[in-house]
Amino acid sequence: MRLGVLDVGSNTVHLLVVDAHHGAHPWPAHSEKVVLRLAEQIGPDGALTEEGADGLVKAVGMARTAAAGLGADDLLAFATSAVRDATNAAEVLARVRDTTGVRLEVLSGTDEARMTFLAVRRWFGWSAGRLLAMDIGGGSLELAAGIDEDPDVAVSLPLGAGRLSRERLRVDPSGLTPPPAETVEELREYVDELLDPVVGKLTEVGWERPVATSKTFRMLARLAGAAPSGAGLWARRSLTRTGLRQVLGFIRHIPPTQLPELEGVSAQRAHQLLAGAVVAEAVMRRLDVASVDICPWALREGVILRRLDQLEPM
């Protein structure tokens, strides 16, 4: 069957269409995204602005049309922290449904962690033993650990790279100057504080193989010397804590407008890279992880796999 997956995130609205059936590897047939940066369109009252809602409705409508044109048998649509945290989420979701016919499922942070963990488990298989999965999104950080396909511990913290760039680093709108050293240090202390309650829970479960996923981790790994995207999906990629510290040491001195000039850095997410690096370093340091493997599958693939598991075997 052909499945469409619509991921409404903090930065983008991403449509992925895959060909798959029960027990099979889902193969991508089409991918397209619209950069909306919904998290940046939350007003002082915590509500998604009219402009943000307009953009979301338009993007979802376009995605539904594209999925139908590609012959998708089903469209799985979900939203994460940007919509989840909006005070007018119910009204926005109703407008999307009434205008486009698409029902967006708002995932909890814990559900995000669990489905990302499922994708990581399926990618690496049972031979990986106990897994630790880390995912830095635009609005939140997801961590999960366990031996089965459903993790023993799954947590979500408001430590997304976009959120922290806006609220803690207060990145210069012009992008011409990097945040001052004291601001970066304050962010590190804040991240450590929020990690305090979960470090013990994760360590108690334990792991044999630490894994990281998400665009943020992939960019950081590339800057530390991992294979480029052109090397293909199957190329093994990893990120060491030493390499990450070196990357953090030089990007903290680079103005945000110049970060896209670095190979492997997305222009749309460059302004979030420093905050993401601070979170990544803090997680690896606090959990005493020397190196992580980079997994190309993440939340979208987890949603697909969960849906396929619900199908009757052919």
Side-chain angles (χ1 to χ4, degrees):
M1 70 181 299
R2 176 161 282 192
L3 286 175
V5 180
L6 184 60
D7 176 359
V8 176
S10 297
N11 294 301
T12 63
V13 175
H14 189 165
L15 172 67
L16 177 65
V17 178
V18 300
D19 291 320
H21 61 269
H22 184 89
H25 184 297
W27 293 102
H30 177 78
S31 177
E32 64 180 59
K33 65 178 68 175
V34 176
V35 178
L36 287 186
R37 292 183 178 171
L38 288 178
E40 298 179 14
Q41 300 190 57
I42 300 294
D45 59 351
L48 183 65
T49 64
E50 189 70 19
E51 181 181 358
D54 289 344
L56 177 58
V57 169
K58 181 179 179 180
V60 171
M62 291 171 58
R64 181 182 183 183
T65 300
L70 291 162
D73 301 296
D74 195 5
L75 179 63
L76 312 176
F78 63 90
T80 54
S81 62
V83 174
R84 182 171 67 230
D85 295 344
T87 56
N88 60 339
E91 293 88 343
V92 171
L93 293 170
R95 182 179 167 193
V96 169
R97 182 188 65 240
D98 295 343
T99 305
T100 69
V102 175
R103 292 181 177 272
L104 282 175
E105 177 187 1
V106 179
L107 298 180
S108 69
T110 301
D111 283 341
E112 282 192 58
R114 290 187 179 280
M115 278 185 276
T116 300
F117 185 88
L118 171 62
V120 171
R121 167 58 73 194
R122 293 283 179 89
W123 180 267
F124 287 104
W126 297 112
S127 63
R130 288 187 177 273
L131 286 172
L132 169 67
M134 318 171 190
D135 187 335
I136 301 173
S140 59
L141 162 72
E142 276 69 50
L143 300 167
I147 187 66
D148 298 318
E149 291 195 335
D150 192 37
D152 296 311
V153 175
V155 296
S156 179
L157 298 171
L159 294 176
R163 182 194 299 269
L164 297 179
S165 296
R166 293 188 309 275
E167 299 178 358
R168 296 285 167 171
L169 285 185
R170 297 178 292 279
V171 175
D172 176 10
S174 70
L176 298 177
T177 58
E182 57 269 24
T183 302
V184 177
E185 178 59 23
E186 289 171 1
L187 173 60
R188 188 192 64 78
E189 293 174 356
Y190 174 75
V191 174
D192 273 348
E193 180 182 345
L194 266 63
L195 285 173
D196 280 342
V198 305
V199 169
K201 296 178 182 178
L202 291 163
T203 303
E204 183 177 354
V205 171
W207 55 83
E208 281 86 39
R209 189 164 194 167
V211 176
T213 184
S214 75
K215 183 69 172 179
T216 295
F217 268 113
R218 289 197 297 273
M219 288 193 296
L220 293 170
R222 179 70 189 107
L223 289 174
S229 58
L233 191 66
W234 310 107
R236 295 191 63 177
R237 298 173 175 88
S238 62
L239 173 64
T240 66
R241 196 161 82 208
T242 298
L244 174 58
R245 285 173 172 167
Q246 292 172 345
V247 169
L248 178 56
F250 75 79
I251 66 171
R252 66 187 297 171
H253 301 296
I254 300 176
T257 53
Q258 295 179 19
L259 286 173
E261 298 174 13
L262 301 176
E263 185 176 356
V265 175
S266 163
Q268 289 79 21
R269 297 174 187 261
H271 65 295
Q272 303 178 6
L273 186 60
L274 177 56
V278 171
V279 174
E281 189 280 331
V283 172
M284 293 180 70
R285 170 171 45 82
R286 295 297 305 278
L287 295 177
D288 195 24
V289 172
S291 178
V292 294
D293 291 318
I294 304 298
C295 180
W297 279 4
L299 177 59
R300 279 185 294 276
E301 287 76 15
V303 170
I304 293 169
L305 292 167
R306 183 185 68 170
R307 176 70 177 88
L308 293 177
D309 287 346
Q310 296 168 352
L311 298 177
E312 290 294 330
M314 299 295 289

